[in-house]
Amino acid sequence: MQLLLAVVSSGYAVGAALGWGSEELAEIMGDFGLSSAGLLAAVSCFTYARSIDSRERPAWLLFSFSSLMGGCGNAVWGWYEVILGEAVPKPSIADFAFLCFAPPAIVGLLVLAKRPVTRAGWVCLGLDSWLIGGSLLTLSWSLALAHAARTAQSGAPGSVPRAALSLAYPLLDIALVSMVLVLHFRRSETNRSAVNTAIAALALTVLSDALFTSPLLSAEYQSGQLLDAGWFAGSLLLAYAPWGARRLNPAPDPVAHARAERPHSRPITGSLPALTPYLAAAVCTLGILYNVVDGRKVDRVVVFTGCTVVLALVIRQGIMLLDNIALTQELAQKENHFRSLVQGSSDVIMIAAPTGTLRYVSPAAAGVYGREAEELVGTELATLIHPEDLGRVVHEVRRFLAAPPAEEPTTRIECRFRSGAGEWLNVESTVNRHQGGLILNSRDVTERVRLQAQLQHSAEHDPLTDLPNRALFTRRVRQALTGRRAGDHSTAVLFIDLDGFKAVNDTIGHQAGDELLIEAARRLQDSVRAGDTAARLGGDEFAALILGDGGRDRSAREYQVHEIADRLRTTLSQPYRIAGSEVRVAASIGVAFADPGITPSDLMRNADLAMYRAKAGGKDRVEMYAPQMQAEVVRKAELAGRLRTALHDGEFALLHQPVVSLASGEISAVVAQARWRSAQGILFTPAEFLRVAESGGAGGAGGPAAEGGSTARAVVPDASRTAELGRWLLEEAVGQAAERHRAGHDVPVAVRMTAQRLLDRSMPLGSVEALLTRNGLPSGALVLELAVSDPRVPFDDLERRLAALRRLGVLIALDGFGSGYAAISALRRLPVDMLKLDRGLVEGVVESPRLHKITAGLLRIANDLGMQSVAEGVDLPEQVMALRAMGCTHGQGMAFSGPLDEYRLRRALVRGTFPVPGGAAQPALAGGSPGGSMVIHRGSHNETPVPPA
């Protein structure tokens, strides 16, 4: 568009300079060409005014009307010259239209001007306009307008209208020029390109008008001359102004806008508004001097105008002086205010030059940094920052300075700052730009950083041992698997559990247990390498991360890690000196390696499974993880789920196995046993599901609970499930025994129960009595087979509980006698009525002379204490004869009968006896009843001495 505008204007100027080839064409182009350009400018400004909705809209409407008047005036001029072929009369309608060009343009320029915000500003705007207009009027009057005024006073016909017209044109042009100059110094920032183009268009038009009204050209002017090119170009430029500016700036650019807002040093253009009054006075003085030098009499108009210009200048300067005084006072007040804020602030405010040199430091530096502000001024900022933080700070500052200010006005930097005492302080700074440099608002956050570090340490470390906790250990494992060691499959995780730790807590107290854990943690920390990690996961469980060495020999690495784990086991199993006494615990360790693609959780789970296998395999040992361990856990989990379903769906059945007198073959009792009935009606043996239940550590079907609480054991049924199974077994056995009792079969029923289950709070003392009363079963018809195999069982509580049950009439049998930890201790301390030999002794009593002697000794103890004895697992006739010869009174096993359902049990009770291998005989050792029924000789055995076996 700019190129097209230049080509059309240049073409018109060339045509006008050459006279267009003919006088008639020159008149057409000089009149109707100018009219077309004016109408084009009117339509363009009007269309643009309708497309916008802002405070500029009235200005463009006025420009449209002004151009329309100019176009109409040229059209009328052409009507006379081209159509009618007559000279344009003076005055005419064309003159009226031309005179209507300037006022709308002047008002439009006022609309576009930046509006003053105070009354003094409005007064200064008017004074500046008069200063410019008055000075131009003085000069113009002296040059040409005085001659026109004298012509009007001559009294010639038509001289007055012609003189008035001659004066009107320059006066309006002077007013328009004044507005153009004022607007140039006070123009608004909005749509500046369009406003500047419009100002240039009006200035070009005014220049052409001034040349037209000058005495040198006004008498010789004809349409189509070169002067018309100025009007033509001015109209085209005004038509182009709104649309060309929009095309040049299609959308606001925030970056360019931000750069435009940056202060630039423009001393010449910035001082022109201040010089305007003096320039106007100088022009006015030139007008007066022109008359004086030429020897003319000074015109009264010139004198009056000059006086008003001088008066306006004095008034304006007075206003500016008062305004400057007020601004100076306000500036001083604000400077004092901000100086007080800066000097009284607890933060240190520093101004750094673009080179990094400190130009200003607030007095707070003495209290924060321990260094006087004067000492820091002139210092390089880089020399005060910790060398480890300097690179990061420089990078952040460069990035901040390169970013657009509108998008990122400030940034925040934390680094260490050297104090006056030589210490490194943690400093947080808010950074702003300042004349190419930086303003830093800094504060000391050392205590906050220390507190954050302490909180972070507390969140990631065990409060007792100060070892990394599970969260930090898991993160270290993840880093070892995903970092630069991701391809190193020789990394290993060790899970460590202290065997017997609960006994330490129960025997010598929790304080001693804490001291033991602290010492164990110290030993573990001292035993691992510097790059490895030792952690406490909770309770008596520890872990170690052994980073790989990058070797590819898996067997050699496994051997090496196994040696490390065994050394840890030996170290942790050494005696501990706690509270003046020596305490021993063992360590079970599970090891798992980082196989390809394994996750941190899976690796830790594998190590936990291996550790659980080590505890199940006898404790105080090291176990390497194998994939079948996970398969076993899944199988147990499935079985546990099936067990829960079976409990709720009633899939369990109760069978009874007779206890037979080895002397007479009579049935003296029955032992209740649970069976799992499948969907096909098949009764499965209890071996597998009872083993799962025993792993849970409760219930009437299980053994001792496993120590600890690792994730590998979470898949085993919980205590609530096994307790539910135990309750079901006890209630069902008592209920069926009561029905047999009412049917005339007075045979006691025996129910197996662990010591942990018996001490469980969910089974209060009154529950057994209530159960017997509810079912109508005599108390002597219930035998509880007590299993005590855990050394952590509190014997004092167990003794009180058994004594209470015996007062109810419940018989107590010590199950598993001859194996486990608590055989002799339980016999010495607990009030029991009969002993039940462990199956392991019975199975080898015939083949092994050693077991034969041990069994004979145990039976002699039972007979000496006056207690009956029951051998479990008597499956062979040879075992029956051997046990009977050693003095065993009763037997239970396949040599007599397997477990029976209720129908077959009643048939057996009706029959009453089973054939005894070798025939009926008296026991070799006295003690107990030779008959078929169990006759219990009650008494306290707490203090009875036990003869050696």
Side-chain angles (χ1 to χ4, degrees):
M1 265 186 95
Q2 291 177 334
L3 182 60
L4 179 62
L5 178 66
V7 170
V8 172
S9 300
S10 300
Y12 190 94
V14 172
L18 299 178
W20 296 105
S22 66
E23 186 177 347
E24 183 178 0
L25 181 59
E27 290 180 350
I28 293 174
M29 294 302 297
D31 295 334
F32 293 109
L34 293 180
S35 177
S36 301
L39 293 176
L40 177 62
V43 172
S44 175
C45 293
F46 180 77
T47 305
Y48 177 72
R50 294 192 59 183
S51 66
I52 61 175
D53 186 13
S54 64
R55 61 180 295 268
E56 298 178 6
R57 185 175 185 178
W60 292 103
L61 288 175
L62 291 169
F63 291 157
S64 175
F65 180 75
S66 179
S67 300
L68 178 62
M69 291 295 99
C72 292
N74 284 296
V76 172
W77 197 291
W79 173 264
Y80 280 103
E81 285 189 340
V82 178
I83 304 301
L84 300 180
E86 300 177 357
V88 181
K90 297 289 185 175
S92 65
I93 300 178
D95 293 320
F96 174 77
F98 288 144
L99 291 176
C100 290
F101 172 83
I106 294 173
V107 177
L109 291 175
L110 288 174
V111 172
L112 291 177
K114 184 185 296 183
R115 298 179 181 178
V117 296
T118 62
R119 185 176 302 175
W122 284 104
V123 173
C124 289
L125 177 62
L127 292 174
D128 289 342
S129 301
W130 172 244
L131 285 171
I132 297 173
S135 61
L136 293 177
L137 176 61
T138 302
L139 185 60
S140 301
W141 187 271
S142 301
L143 294 175
L145 297 183
H147 175 73
R150 285 193 293 269
T151 303
Q153 294 176 356
S154 63
S159 60
V160 174
R162 291 191 184 93
L165 188 62
S166 301
L167 292 174
Y169 278 116
L171 290 177
L172 289 175
D173 288 339
I174 289 173
L176 189 56
V177 169
S178 302
M179 289 298 100
V180 168
L181 293 175
V182 170
L183 183 58
H184 174 71
F185 297 132
R186 294 179 174 267
R187 61 185 181 275
S188 174
E189 299 294 332
T190 306
N191 203 3
R192 179 182 291 184
S193 299
V195 174
N196 287 341
T197 307
I199 291 174
L202 294 175
L204 186 58
T205 304
V206 170
L207 179 61
S208 300
D209 287 346
L211 293 175
F212 172 74
T213 56
S214 65
L216 299 176
L217 297 179
S218 60
E220 300 178 358
Y221 171 78
Q222 292 182 357
S223 297
Q225 291 182 351
L226 186 58
L227 184 59
D228 293 343
W231 285 312
F232 184 81
S235 297
L236 291 185
L237 195 60
L238 186 60
Y240 163 80
W243 309 104
R246 173 178 291 187
R247 187 169 286 105
L248 289 174
N249 299 296
D253 185 1
V255 177
H257 178 69
R259 291 176 179 174
E261 289 182 350
R262 294 180 181 177
H264 295 283
S265 177
R266 298 186 297 175
I268 298 178
T269 57
S271 58
L272 281 177
L275 294 177
T276 301
Y278 304 101
L279 294 176
V283 172
C284 184
T285 304
L286 289 176
I288 298 174
L289 290 177
Y290 175 80
N291 288 272
V292 174
V293 172
D294 198 26
R296 302 176 184 177
K297 181 182 179 181
V298 178
D299 195 280
R300 285 177 295 177
V301 174
V302 174
V303 174
F304 176 78
T305 305
C307 291
T308 56
V309 168
V310 173
L311 181 60
L313 178 60
V314 173
I315 296 174
R316 187 184 186 282
Q317 292 303 106
I319 295 175
M320 293 301 298
L321 179 60
L322 296 177
D323 194 24
N324 288 337
I325 293 174
L327 288 176
T328 303
Q329 293 176 348
E330 182 180 359
L331 181 61
Q333 183 179 1
K334 289 183 178 181
E335 183 179 356
N336 292 332
H337 175 69
F338 284 107
R339 185 180 299 275
S340 300
L341 288 177
V342 170
Q343 293 181 351
S345 174
S346 59
D347 293 349
V348 181
I349 299 175
M350 299 182 294
I351 300 178
T355 58
T357 304
L358 293 177
R359 292 179 175 175
Y360 172 80
V361 179
S362 66
V368 176
Y369 298 149
R371 305 179 68 174
E372 296 297 332
E374 294 77 7
E375 178 186 350
L376 292 174
V377 173
T379 307
E380 292 289 336
L381 186 60
T383 61
L384 304 175
I385 300 175
H386 196 284
E388 296 179 1
D389 300 338
L390 183 58
R392 174 174 53 84
V393 172
V394 171
H395 174 75
E396 175 63 19
V397 169
R398 289 177 178 175
R399 184 203 61 78
F400 171 66
L401 293 177
E407 296 180 4
E408 190 174 4
T410 63
T411 189
R412 191 177 298 273
I413 295 176
E414 287 193 19
C415 63
R416 284 167 289 181
F417 200 90
R418 187 188 299 276
S419 68
E423 301 176 351
W424 292 105
L425 304 176
N426 294 94
V427 175
E428 179 186 67
S429 301
T430 302
V431 184
N432 294 270
R433 299 173 180 85
H434 176 69
Q435 297 180 358
L438 300 172
I439 295 180
L440 297 95
N441 191 347
S442 306
R443 61 201 63 87
D444 183 9
V445 293
T446 304
E447 291 301 324
R448 189 193 72 185
V449 172
R450 289 177 182 172
L451 179 60
Q452 288 177 345
Q454 182 179 355
L455 293 176
Q456 183 71 18
H457 182 85
S458 301
E460 295 179 341
H461 289 76
D462 175 59
L464 179 64
T465 63
D466 203 39
L467 289 180
N469 58 14
R470 183 181 294 271
L472 180 56
F473 183 77
T474 303
R475 185 162 69 251
R476 298 249 179 110
V477 172
R478 182 178 297 107
Q479 292 172 354
L481 297 182
T482 58
R484 59 184 179 87
R485 299 178 177 268
D488 188 359
H489 303 143
S490 59
T491 296
V493 170
L494 279 61
F495 266 43
I496 307 164
D497 187 89
L498 300 181
D499 304 320
F501 173 73
K502 187 176 185 303
V504 175
N505 276 341
D506 294 339
T507 55
I508 60 177
H510 290 274
Q511 179 64 32
D514 291 344
E515 294 180 12
L516 190 148
L517 291 176
I518 294 173
E519 176 62 21
R522 186 191 62 78
R523 294 184 184 182
L524 179 61
Q525 184 68 46
D526 293 341
S527 300
V528 299
R529 299 174 302 179
D532 299 333
T533 300
R536 182 191 179 205
L537 304 183
D540 59 345
E541 288 190 3
F542 295 86
L545 172 64
I546 308 299
L547 298 178
D549 56 1
R552 298 184 177 272
D553 190 349
R554 179 63 179 266
S555 60
R557 180 60 176 170
E558 288 183 356
Y559 178 78
Q560 180 185 7
V561 173
H562 191 281
E563 280 192 336
I564 295 175
D566 196 62
R567 187 169 63 251
L568 287 176
R569 180 193 62 79
T570 304
T571 302
L572 294 175
S573 300
Q574 294 295 324
Y576 295 83
R577 195 72 180 174
I578 305 296
S581 60
E582 189 175 272
V583 179
R584 290 181 178 270
V585 294
S588 297
I589 302 178
V591 183
F593 283 91
D595 295 327
I598 195 171
T599 62
S601 59
D602 290 343
L603 179 59
M604 295 173 65
R605 180 206 62 197
N606 293 345
D608 198 11
L609 288 173
M611 185 266 288
Y612 178 57
R613 175 61 64 89
K615 293 179 69 66
K619 303 180 181 179
D620 193 17
R621 57 197 301 257
V622 177
E623 190 75 32
M624 307 293 288
Y625 171 78
Q628 56 267 26
M629 295 181 184
Q630 177 63 19
E632 183 180 352
V633 170
V634 173
R635 181 183 61 82
K636 288 186 177 182
E638 294 176 352
L639 186 60
R642 291 172 57 197
L643 176 60
R644 288 191 292 268
T645 304
L647 284 171
H648 287 292
D649 296 347
E651 297 180 4
F652 281 95
L654 190 64
L655 301 183
H656 294 83
Q657 189 172 21
V659 177
V660 179
S661 171
L662 298 183
S664 62
E666 294 182 3
I667 301 175
S668 58
V670 292
V671 178
Q673 297 179 356
R675 289 292 185 274
W676 193 345
R677 187 187 304 275
S678 68
Q680 294 76 21
I682 302 174
L683 291 175
F684 289 97
T685 60
E688 188 171 37
F689 80 81
L690 287 183
R691 190 158 52 248
V692 175
E694 288 172 2
S695 300
E707 294 180 10
S710 62
T711 55
R713 280 149 280 173
V715 299
V716 186
D718 53 31
S720 63
R721 297 297 178 189
T722 53
E724 186 177 353
L725 177 60
R727 283 194 298 269
W728 176 86
L729 180 62
L730 180 62
E731 292 175 0
E732 195 71 15
V734 171
Q736 293 187 16
E739 292 180 2
R740 290 192 298 271
H741 181 75
R742 286 189 289 270
H745 304 293
D746 299 333
V747 180
V749 62
V751 180
R752 189 169 184 267
M753 182 174 295
T754 64
Q756 289 89 344
R757 170 68 182 135
L758 192 62
L759 294 175
D760 191 356
R761 294 183 179 180
S762 63
M763 184 182 174
L765 174 63
S767 61
V768 177
E769 183 180 12
L771 181 63
L772 296 175
T773 304
R774 185 170 66 249
N775 290 277
L777 182 68
S779 58
L782 175 62
V783 180
L784 292 182
E785 296 182 351
L786 182 65
V788 183
S789 58
D790 192 344
R792 297 173 297 181
V793 174
F795 275 96
D796 294 338
D797 297 341
L798 185 59
E799 182 182 358
R800 287 192 293 269
R801 186 64 188 274
L802 292 178
L805 288 173
R806 293 184 76 230
R807 284 194 295 270
L808 295 176
V810 179
L811 304 180
I812 307 298
L814 185 60
D815 188 32
F817 188 69
S819 67
Y821 161 81
I824 301 300
S825 298
L827 182 62
R828 182 176 64 86
R829 298 191 57 183
L830 301 180
V832 297
D833 301 304
M834 63 187 70
L835 300 179
K836 194 168 185 179
L837 291 179
D838 184 76
R839 179 184 294 270
L841 295 176
V842 176
E843 288 177 351
V845 72
V846 177
E847 295 83 1
S848 173
R850 187 180 184 87
L851 286 181
H852 188 280
K853 292 182 180 180
I854 294 175
T855 305
L858 294 176
L859 289 173
R860 187 179 300 110
I861 293 174
N863 288 318
D864 290 345
L865 295 176
M867 289 188 283
Q868 295 189 13
S869 54
V870 180
E872 183 181 5
V874 183
D875 298 332
L876 301 175
E878 295 82 359
Q879 295 172 344
V880 175
M881 291 184 289
L883 290 169
R884 184 174 60 185
M886 286 185 287
C888 183
T889 59
H890 296 81
Q892 170 191 344
M894 297 302 295
F896 305 105
S897 173
L900 304 175
D901 58 17
E902 187 66 21
Y903 174 74
R904 290 182 175 84
L905 176 62
R906 294 203 178 193
R907 289 183 58 186
L909 291 177
V910 171
R911 188 170 63 248
T913 60
F914 287 98
V916 180
Q922 291 296 325
L925 298 175
S929 174
S933 61
M934 290 184 177
V935 180
I936 307 302
H937 301 281
R938 297 187 179 275
S940 175
H941 304 290
N942 290 348
E943 303 298 329
T944 303
V946 180

